[in-house]
């Protein structure tokens, strides 16, 4: 990638600053409480790298699903196979899809079979209030799956009666329909969503049929609110070249993923308690040849049942956060066998405030017991110093960890073999950053480093041998994240410019094996820019620029755009993806679609 490309992109995106005529009223982003932490802090007070995708960002994103939405944050590498997020993998700061944790309203929804199923649980964007992205080692806060980061999807809090009906149609015979309803009663409120998304596919055997069901209810809201969440997503899709080799054009997959959770929040004097119980289930059926169901077929069913109690206590000495997490996972599989794992974790941290509350120091530790990998501890510390009301510098260091998935341990096919004797992956990571917030302008810069060992690779001694999983690789990952956001007005019309950039450098240690299949292909350079504007009343538009250059050397530029027209309770939208017909791939050499359009119509009854 040339320096000229980077500078040109940033110049185009930032030149609009010159048109700002009048500053908008200061946004309330600093008052957003990060709900994924035990010690609840406003967004601006955290001493970690956290980004928030707000409801306004979602509306201006030109995205119809969470996978496409997360792609618009530099440092978050979403590698899609096909369209509409039917199959996509989630990476943060160069880690693998097995090293990133997904949470729904603070509930950990990782899949013990494989991280390939992480985004099966991604919710429809119609029910999402915001998304919190925690970059860097988060095992001290969340446990072992947050090796390189975590994503917490926060669902909407229903406050008004409404009923919205939405339909979308577009390229590749895409047809989507959704109904979202809200009921606000005297002592309870309820949010319900049902949707179905279908397409004949943008090339042979890439059709899909996706159904989503979502319910969120709050009971006893005037006293002690009890929150109940239930979600189910069923996906059926042709997987042309998605797995195995690109020549495997007839693959097919069906997944069913569901979640049920109950939680509450108890406040008493200086104490806060947040108990929750949950059950997450995933079923995956894979056919190597779609029209031969009696041929090569895998069927995996995983369940996770858990309960968690988080809390905090505020005193003159600061805030103490604590938590206990108990869960058990099960897998029934014709390939991987039948297994289960019990996990128990204890979390403890304390935030000290010194120097007139300008300096915060938060040491903490998570201690976890795995029935198959015994005891492990994840210590770490966060530090932050407020130079003034606008500037804050921060740093953190932590030990992070990932136990092997059931696929790592037990998978078997004609060319690949798991390894029951694998050890957990380990790393120590450091970060140093600075944040600036002033009225409608915010910016941040973070430098990070991660030294990993015991990373799982697939190796063999001879060309004709099977690939076998082993702990053979060491890796140093260093880089930087930069983010900038500016809200302003042209006349009385609101405008937003958002630019983010991530640089990652991976240094792989020598591998003591004749053949190695593991390939580092991080986003070496990643630029994302969005300009959202309004020049005519009730008409808003956005343009999104994405540039990616991978470690392997390939690069691509994709531009998306959207226009929305709102007339009282009626909304009309046009979304254009890859408007310059870029030819590119993100995963397994699966070609992504060229330019395509989606037209949408939404009516809301109030």
């Amino acid at each position: 990638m040339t320096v000229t490309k980077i500078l040109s992109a940033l110049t185009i995106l930032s030149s609009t600053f010159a048109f700002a005529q009048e500053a908008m009223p200061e946004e309330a982003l600093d008052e957003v409480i990060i709900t994924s932490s035990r010690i609840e802090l406003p967004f601006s007070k955290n001493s970690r790298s956290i980004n928030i995708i707000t409801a306004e960002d979602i509306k201006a994103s030109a995205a119809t699903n969470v996978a496409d939405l997360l792609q618009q944050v530099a440092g978050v590498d979403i590698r899609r196979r096909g369209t509409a997020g039917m199959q996509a993998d989630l990476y943060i700061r160069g880690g693998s899809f097995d090293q990133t944790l997904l949470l729904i309203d603070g509930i950990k929804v990782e899949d013990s079979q494989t991280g390939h199923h992480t985004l099966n649980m991604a919710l429809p964007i119609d029910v999402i209030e915001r998304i919190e992205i925690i970059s860097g080692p988060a095992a001290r806060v969340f446990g072992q799956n947050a090796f390189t980061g975590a994503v917490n999807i926060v669902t909407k809090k229903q406050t008004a009666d409404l009923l919205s009906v939405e339909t979308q149609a577009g390229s590749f015979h895409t047809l989507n329909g959704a109904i979202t309803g809200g009921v606000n009663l005297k002592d309870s409120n309820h949010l319900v969503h049902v949707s179905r998304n279908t397409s004949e596919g943008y090339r042979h055997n890439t059709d899909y049929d996706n159904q989503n069901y979502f319910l969120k209810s709050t009971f006893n809201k005037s006293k002690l609110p009890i929150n109940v969440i239930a979600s189910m997503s069923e996906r059926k899709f042709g997987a042309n070249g998605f797995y195995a080799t690109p020549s495997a054009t007839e693959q097919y997959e069906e997944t069913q993923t569901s979640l049920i959770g109950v939680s509450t929040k108890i406040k008493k004097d200086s104490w806060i308690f947040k108990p929750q119980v949950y059950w997450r289930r995933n079923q995956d059926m894979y056919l190597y040849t779609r029209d031969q169901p009696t041929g090569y077929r895998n069927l995996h069913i995983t369940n996770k049942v858990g309960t968690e109690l988080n809390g905090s206590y505020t005193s003159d000495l600061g805030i103490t956060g604590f938590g206990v997490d108990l869960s058990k996972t099960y897998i029934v599989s014709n390939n991987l066998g039948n297994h289960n794992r019990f996990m128990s974790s204890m979390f403890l941290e304390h935030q000290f405030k010194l120097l007139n509350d300008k300096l915060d120091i938060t040491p903490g530790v998570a201690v976890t017991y795995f029935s198959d990998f015994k005891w492990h501890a994840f210590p770490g510390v966060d530090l932050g110093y407020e130079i003034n009301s606008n500037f804050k510098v921060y740093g953190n260091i932590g030990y992070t960890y990932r136990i092997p998935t059931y696929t790592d341990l037990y998978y078997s096919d004609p060319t690949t073999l798991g390894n029951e004797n694998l050890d957990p992956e380990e790393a120590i990571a450091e970060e140093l950053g600075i944040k600036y917030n002033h009225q409608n302008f915010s910016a941040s810069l973070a430098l990070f480093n991660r030294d990993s060992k015991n990373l799982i690779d697939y190796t063999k001694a001879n060309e004709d041998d099977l690939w076998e999983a082993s702990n053979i690789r060491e890796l140093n990952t260093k880089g930087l994240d930069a983010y900038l956001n500016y809200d302003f007005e042209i006349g009385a019309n609101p405008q937003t410019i958002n630019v983010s950039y991530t640089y990652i450098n991976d240094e792989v240690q020598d591998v003591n094996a004749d053949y190695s299949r593991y390939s580092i292909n991080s986003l070496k350079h990643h630029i994302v820019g969005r300009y959202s504007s309004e020049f005519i009343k009730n008409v808003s538009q956005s343009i999104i620029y994405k540039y990616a250059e991978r470690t392997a050397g390939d690069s691509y530029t994709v531009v998306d755009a959207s226009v929305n027209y709102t007339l009282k309770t009626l909304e009309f939208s046009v979304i254009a993806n890859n408007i310059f017909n870029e030819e590119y791939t993100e995963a397994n050499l699966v070609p992504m679609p060229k330019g395509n359009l989606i037209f949408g119509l939404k009516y809301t009854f109030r």
Side-chain angles (χ1 to χ4, degrees), residues 16-241:
T16 314
F17 289 171
F19 294 100
Q21 302 294 317
E22 179 182 354
M24 296 172 64
E26 185 169 351
E27 296 289 338
L29 181 61
D30 289 355
E31 300 306 314
V32 171
I33 303 299
I34 304 301
T35 58
S36 53
S37 302
R38 289 171 185 83
I39 298 178
E40 297 184 347
L41 294 172
F43 172 77
S44 63
K45 301 297 182 181
N46 272 270
S47 296
R48 301 187 67 87
S49 287
I50 299 178
N51 285 288
I52 296 179
I53 301 176
T54 66
E56 291 76 16
D57 294 330
I58 294 173
K59 187 174 182 180
S61 66
T64 60
N65 57 82
V66 168
D68 294 354
L69 182 63
L70 289 173
Q71 260 202 342
Q72 297 180 18
V73 179
V76 179
D77 183 9
I78 301 294
R79 303 185 193 179
R80 301 171 297 172
R81 296 170 173 87
T83 58
M86 282 302 103
Q87 207 297 314
D89 292 331
L90 170 63
Y91 304 70
I92 292 180
R93 284 186 175 175
S96 75
F97 54 77
D98 285 319
Q99 297 173 340
T100 305
L101 179 66
L102 180 69
L103 304 96
I104 306 292
D105 285 341
I107 298 174
K108 307 180 186 75
V109 293
E110 79 280 3
D111 189 86
S112 57
Q113 178 204 339
T114 173
H116 274 303
H117 295 313
T118 294
L119 288 179
N120 291 1
M121 195 69 254
L123 301 177
I125 61 176
D126 297 299
V127 304
I128 297 174
E129 179 178 306
R130 68 177 184 274
I131 300 178
E132 302 167 352
I133 302 169
I134 301 93
S135 299
R140 175 175 68 80
V141 179
F142 301 114
Q144 66 93 15
N145 274 83
F147 192 91
T148 59
V151 174
N152 183 37
I153 297 176
V154 181
T155 59
K156 289 182 177 178
K157 297 180 177 66
Q158 176 56 34
T159 57
D161 295 335
L162 64 86
L163 175 65
S164 67
V165 180
E166 182 177 9
T167 184
Q168 294 177 326
S171 304
F172 320 126
H173 296 92
T174 297
L175 183 60
N176 304 331
I179 299 176
T180 305
V183 178
N184 188 26
L185 303 176
K186 181 179 179 180
D187 206 28
S188 66
N189 58 52
H190 311 272
L191 178 65
V192 181
H193 172 91
V194 178
S195 60
R196 185 175 183 182
N197 308 317
T198 64
S199 171
E200 294 184 8
Y202 64 102
R203 62 190 184 112
H204 170 69
N205 194 33
T206 57
D207 59 300
Y208 62 79
D209 187 344
N210 172 217
Q211 298 183 51
N212 300 288
Y213 306 91
F214 177 85
L215 167 67
K216 182 177 182 180
S217 295
T218 301
F219 301 95
N220 198 38
K221 64 181 184 180
S222 62
K223 297 179 181 178
L224 179 62
I226 306 295
N227 299 306
V228 178
I229 183 173
S231 176
M232 190 271 191
S233 175
E234 180 179 59
R235 304 178 182 213
K236 302 176 181 179
F237 54 93
N240 182 347

Side-chain angles (χ1 to χ4, degrees), residues 522-538:
S522 302
L523 284 174
K524 185 174 184 179
H525 295 284
H526 190 199
I527 302 172
V528 180
R530 174 172 57 86
Y531 173 44
S532 301
S533 60
E534 183 177 315
F535 297 102
I536 302 173
K537 185 179 180 181
N538 299 328

